[in-house]
């Protein structure tokens, strides 16, 4: 499938990216795309017009457009589970009728969103009270898609917070919930339990602990717990009234669910108007994805750049580098989005893939990363394509000089990765320092930057709810396109199941209730160590 592109990659060889700007003075404009004020630049890559045409031809041959249309029409493109994939509908509840299994899903979406907005207004106004009065804190208990999305978004939208403080508990490690609850008042804290099935072991363990904490402190669990779940019987058995339960359907995958009830903590934190803007940003990207053609389609081009770097060039990972401290959880969010979606080895037809699937995704916000791992990015023996993000302006006008320095660093890093520093330039630097002979040569070689390392930049006016919605939807659709091209199902996650099953069987062994005789030697020895230390 990638033979033609790999031939083109071989022909390019070590051609300098910088040379492409000499060949075409309009390269920056020609190899970028926009959606409103959102600007995506991929000109600092080895992709030229010929390669781009081949990538677009690949997308056409893999029927990306047909799969896209099927997804938005509610077809069961998650065929290993027989489900539609309609997280996009969550951000368009007022759209035209959309049939799933013979029923229009829009009315239920509107009803759920209105219920979410209603309870958020009552919580924020103080009408919905705890046993000690107005709710001051929200504790969201979830894991994976029930945690990473809302935790990321609440932090990202901090300038828009005017509701209760939000805290997030995910790890089954008791340290997580202990440290989050210890300074909170159980009489003014609202706990949101996010689990579609209400059986997720980490989430329910933490929920039970939170309920015990609240009861001991005099809080009213029946009034101070909400559930984001479809398991009505289980939420009722837990003691949560039906009017405080918000469900969502099987056609919304966990890592794509922040647009609906899983985003309730975000809604409570920033309010209905800001949340509507977040949804509107996502819908704007959806509309763009469905209508923009070829090089003008931002999700398509972002995906094709990823395919070029990973499947064609063979770069094993990509770094997500937002120059925004409030996006410090974005890399972790995209890590799940990509690696849980496209970390597969089996094609849709059950055959084993003959090529690598999704890349490793990692990163940290700038400028912190510059003092951590950029050494490897600039001078390491491997190449890591970098995806920079930055806003043209921040939210703190009195600290504008900070933001100017931040933007300068972001742009400097992508320039340095591309341009590098030659040995002759390094020699000149060392000569200026008074070095000569073998010592000059030795020191100069340590200061060489090979350059010619690819990067993209996503730039936008300011990080608003609307822009955040655009960015998240952009990456969702990027994952979709890559999955279609690779011929895999981006919407199941069977790889997480085996470890869960084994953990259940290991728990009584950890407690010393059953024997570990049937376990392998390593696992048995580790269990013995734990029991000896208990």
């Amino acid at each position: 499938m990638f033979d033609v592109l790999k031939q083109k990659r071989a022909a390019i060889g070590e051609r300098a990216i910088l040379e492409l700007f000499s060949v075409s003075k309009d390269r920056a404009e020609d190899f970028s795309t926009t959606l409103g004020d959102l600007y995506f630049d991929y000109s600092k890559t080895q992709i030229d017009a010929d390669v781009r045409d081949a990538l677009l031809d690949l997308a056409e041959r893999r029927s990306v457009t047909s799969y896209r249309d099927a997804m938005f029409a509610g077809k069961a493109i998650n065929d290993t589970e027989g489900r539609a994939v309609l997280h996009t509908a969550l951000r368009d509840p007022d759209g035209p009728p959309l049939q799933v299994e013979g029923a229009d899903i829009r009315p239920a979406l509107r009803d759920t969103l209105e219920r979410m907005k209603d309870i958020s207004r009552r919580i924020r106004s103080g009408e919905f009270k705890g046993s000690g009065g107005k709710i001051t804190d929200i504790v969201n208990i979830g894991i994976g898609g029930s945690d990473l999305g809302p935790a990321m978004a609440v932090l990202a939208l901090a300038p828009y917070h005017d509701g209760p403080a939000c805290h997030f508990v995910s790890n089954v490690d008791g340290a997580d919930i202990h440290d989050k609850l210890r300074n909170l008042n159980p009489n003014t804290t609202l706990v949101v339990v996010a689990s579609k099935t209400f059986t997720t072991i980490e989430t329910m363990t933490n929920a039970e602990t939170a309920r015990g904490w609240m009861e001991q402190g005099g809080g009213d669990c029946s009034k101070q717990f909400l559930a984001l779940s479809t398991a009505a019987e289980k939420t009722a058995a837990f003691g949560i009234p039906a009017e405080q339960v918000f469900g969502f359907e099987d056609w919304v995958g966990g890592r794509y669910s922040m647009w609906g009830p899983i985003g309730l903590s975000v809604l409570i934190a920033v309010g209905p108007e800001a949340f509507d803007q977040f949804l509107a940003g996502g819908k704007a990207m959806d509309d763009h994805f469905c209508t923009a053609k070829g090089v003008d389609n931002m999700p398509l081009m972002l995906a094709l750049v990823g395919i070029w770097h990973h499947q064609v060039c063979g770069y094993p990972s990509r770094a997500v580098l937002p120059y925004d401290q409030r996006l410090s959880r974005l890399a972790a969010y995209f890590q799940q989005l990509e690696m849980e979606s496209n970390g597969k080895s089996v094609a849709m037809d059950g055959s084993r893939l003959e090529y690598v699937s999704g890349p490793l995704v990692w990163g940290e916000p700038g400028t912190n990363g510059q003092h951590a791992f950029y050494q490897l990015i600039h001078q390491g023996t491997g190449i890591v394509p970098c995806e920079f993000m930055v806003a043209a302006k921040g939210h703190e006008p009195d600290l504008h000089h900070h933001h100017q320095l931040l933007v300068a660093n972001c742009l400097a890093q992508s320039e340095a990765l591309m341009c590098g520093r030659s040995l002759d330039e390094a020699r000149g630097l060392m000569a200026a320092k008074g070095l000569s002979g073998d010592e000059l040569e030795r020191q100069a070689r340590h200061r060489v930057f090979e350059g010619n390392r690819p990067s993209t930049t996503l730039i936008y006016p300011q990080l608003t709810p609307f822009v955040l919605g655009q960015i998240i939807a952009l990456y969702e659709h990027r994952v979709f396109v890559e999955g279609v091209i690779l011929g895999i199902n981006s919407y199941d996650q069977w790889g997480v199941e085996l470890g869960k099953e084994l953990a259940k069987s290991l728990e009584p062994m950890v407690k010393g209730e059953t024997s570990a005789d049937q376990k392998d030697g390593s696992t048995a020895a580790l269990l013995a160590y734990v029991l000896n230390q208990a």
Side-chain angles (χ1 to χ4, degrees):
M1 178 167 57
F2 301 109
D3 289 348
V4 171
L5 284 159
K6 288 186 175 181
Q7 290 169 10
K8 293 181 183 298
R9 174 70 183 97
I12 287 171
E14 297 306 313
R15 177 186 66 188
I17 297 171
L18 194 57
E19 289 180 8
L20 295 171
F21 288 87
S22 301
V23 172
S24 172
K25 62 181 178 63
D26 297 323
R27 177 170 174 80
E29 180 180 352
D30 292 342
F31 288 80
S32 62
T33 186
T34 60
L35 170 56
D37 292 328
L38 199 65
Y39 180 89
F40 172 59
D41 169 53
Y42 58 99
S43 61
K44 293 190 181 78
T45 70
Q46 287 276 14
I47 295 173
D48 58 19
D50 186 44
V51 168
R52 184 169 64 184
D53 286 345
L55 287 165
L56 289 166
D57 179 65
L58 173 65
E60 184 174 354
R61 286 188 287 112
R62 300 299 288 177
S63 302
V64 168
T65 298
S66 296
Y67 276 99
R68 177 202 66 196
D69 293 346
M71 177 175 71
F72 277 88
K75 305 299 183 184
I77 65 167
N78 176 357
D79 73 345
T80 59
E81 297 179 295
R83 297 174 181 172
V85 175
L86 282 172
H87 52 277
T88 54
L90 296 175
R91 46 201 187 233
D92 187 22
D94 294 321
L98 181 57
Q99 301 287 320
V100 176
E101 297 180 352
D104 180 11
I105 66 172
R106 301 284 190 192
L109 291 179
R110 289 192 291 270
D111 178 67
T112 298
L113 182 58
E114 283 307 311
R115 289 183 60 230
M116 290 167 59
K117 289 180 177 179
D118 176 67
I119 200 166
S120 76
R121 292 187 186 100
R122 292 190 290 123
I123 291 168
R124 287 159 56 84
S125 69
E127 179 186 345
F128 186 107
K129 294 180 173 63
S131 60
K134 186 175 182 179
I135 297 297
T136 58
D137 295 271
I138 306 290
V139 175
N140 187 100
I141 298 178
I143 198 166
S146 299
D147 169 78
L148 285 165
M152 177 276 296
V154 163
L155 178 59
L157 299 180
Y160 300 88
H161 286 198
D162 54 5
C166 287
H167 315 270
F168 292 86
V169 174
S170 57
N171 202 326
V172 75
D173 184 344
D176 192 7
I177 193 163
H178 173 271
D179 291 352
K180 299 291 170 50
L181 296 182
R182 64 180 177 181
N183 293 320
L184 302 184
N185 182 349
N187 300 295
T188 59
T189 296
L190 179 69
V191 176
V192 179
V193 184
S195 172
K196 181 183 288 188
T197 63
F198 230 61
T199 59
T200 310
I201 187 64
E202 298 94 337
T203 298
M204 298 317 300
T205 300
N206 281 322
E208 293 282 0
T209 297
R211 181 168 62 178
W213 166 80
M214 187 171 286
E215 289 173 347
Q216 290 176 7
D220 188 338
C221 297
S222 66
K223 295 181 178 178
Q224 291 173 231
F225 268 71
L226 306 182
L228 314 179
S229 176
T230 57
E233 291 184 5
K234 290 184 173 63
T235 58
F238 192 87
I240 302 175
E243 63 271 18
Q244 292 166 212
V245 178
F246 301 83
F248 51 103
E249 301 300 327
D250 284 342
W251 34 259
V252 179
R255 56 193 173 278
Y256 298 90
S257 60
M258 179 174 44
W259 311 95
I262 292 297
L264 183 58
S265 294
V266 185
L267 172 55
I268 295 170
V270 302
E273 291 183 9
F275 193 77
D276 278 344
Q277 283 298 302
F278 173 64
L279 298 182
K283 183 181 183 302
M285 185 58 69
D286 294 342
D287 293 344
H288 168 82
F289 181 47
C290 289
T291 57
K293 305 297 184 184
V295 296
D296 295 323
N297 192 303
M298 192 179 294
L300 175 64
M301 295 314 303
L302 178 61
L304 293 178
V305 171
I307 291 287
W308 168 254
H309 285 150
H310 187 53
Q311 278 76 24
V312 181
C313 297
Y315 306 142
S317 76
R318 64 173 64 126
V320 176
L321 306 171
Y323 274 66
D324 190 320
Q325 182 60 28
R326 293 189 176 109
L327 290 177
S328 61
R329 296 293 292 159
L330 189 69
Y333 178 70
F334 286 161
Q335 190 176 74
Q336 186 202 23
L337 186 66
E338 289 230 25
M339 294 174 70
E340 193 167 85
S341 294
N342 290 344
K344 310 290 173 61
S345 58
V346 177
M348 294 278 263
D349 63 5
S351 63
R352 186 166 182 83
L353 291 184
E354 298 178 353
Y355 36 80
V356 295
S357 56
L360 301 172
V361 178
W362 57 284
E364 282 287 329
T367 57
N368 294 17
Q370 294 176 197
H371 296 267
F373 52 79
Y374 278 43
Q375 168 64 43
L376 181 144
I377 287 174
H378 282 288
Q379 289 188 312
T381 53
I383 291 179
V384 180
C386 295
E387 300 183 352
F388 294 99
M389 297 182 192
V390 70
K393 66 177 181 178
H395 284 277
E396 297 76 30
D398 55 327
L399 298 176
H400 185 53
H401 61 294
H402 281 256
H403 197 77
Q404 290 174 321
L405 183 58
L406 182 76
V407 173
N409 271 272
C410 180
L411 302 184
Q413 292 298 325
S414 65
E415 181 183 14
L417 284 166
M418 178 177 67
C419 297
R421 177 192 287 155
S422 69
L423 180 56
D424 285 343
E425 290 172 321
R427 284 170 177 151
L429 289 173
M430 293 302 96
K433 290 180 177 291
L435 299 182
S436 62
D438 290 346
E439 183 61 13
L440 180 148
E441 189 70 13
R442 184 177 75 87
Q443 292 288 352
R445 290 183 181 278
H446 285 285
R447 289 161 175 79
V448 170
F449 290 73
E450 292 179 358
N452 216 31
R453 302 194 172 203
S455 69
T456 63
T457 301
L458 184 69
I459 193 165
Y460 39 90
Q462 191 176 44
L463 186 62
T464 63
F466 185 86
V467 167
L468 181 65
Q470 286 182 303
I471 293 172
I472 301 307
L474 168 64
Y475 271 76
E476 287 180 348
H477 294 321
R478 183 246 194 104
V479 168
F480 165 80
V481 172
E482 290 181 340
V484 171
I485 289 174
L486 295 172
I488 59 180
N489 183 1
S490 299
Y491 300 102
D492 62 12
Q493 54 279 333
W494 301 112
V496 306
E497 296 300 320
L498 179 57
K500 289 182 182 179
E501 294 170 10
L502 292 175
K504 290 179 181 178
S505 68
L506 276 162
E507 186 179 3
M509 298 179 195
V510 172
K511 294 177 178 178
E513 297 171 353
T514 60
S515 170
D517 289 346
Q518 301 303 311
K519 289 293 180 182
D520 63 89
S522 171
T523 303
L526 294 169
L527 282 165
Y529 178 89
V530 171
L531 291 170
N532 287 336
Q533 295 296 317

